[in-house]
Amino acid sequence: FGEITAPLTVLPRTAPYSMSPRHGPSVGGTVVSIQATGLLNSGNGMCRFDLVPVIATLDPDSRAVKCVAPPHATGVVSIEVSGDGMHFTNVASFEYADTPVLERLVPSFGAVVGGTAVQVVGSGFAETGVLCRFGTQVT
């Protein structure tokens, strides 16, 4: 038998420590950012949403992994992340919700200077963390 030499790369254990956002619409498309240590920019990064694999991108400056949530039925799923596409670490839970449907705004107009209270009428809104944007102002 002959001797074969090959380079060996030892990857550090992935240690996720934050994720945002933790919910999105069931149609998918939410960009989820995961802060983690121990991730290498190997080009093989992956996320899994309820075992559905998604290619991840790594921002080497912020050490944030970004994954786009695939479509999924409503409910809570686990998210896992991998720096090599083979060894996954559980990160957190992600909640898929119905896609919000806006029916109307009451009133549909207001003063240019602002200050008008607006009621948002529709369905599928989250119970907490809902924000409205008027131009560049978020409230």
Side-chain angles (χ1 to χ4, degrees), residues 8-79:
L8 173 65
T9 303
V10 178
L11 299 174
R13 181 174 171 85
T14 302
Y17 56 88
S18 72
M19 182 182 92
S20 179
R22 293 185 175 268
H23 53 81
S26 60
V27 294
T30 301
V31 177
V32 177
S33 180
I34 301 164
Q35 295 290 129
T37 58
L39 289 171
L40 298 177
N41 194 5
S42 66
N44 297 322
M46 299 286 289
C47 291
R48 288 196 300 207
F49 290 74
D50 197 24
L51 301 179
V52 176
V54 177
I55 294 174
T57 58
L58 175 65
D59 179 349
D61 295 327
S62 68
R63 303 303 298 164
V65 174
K66 296 189 185 266
C67 302
V68 178
H72 195 283
T74 59
V76 177
V77 300
S78 65
I79 294 184

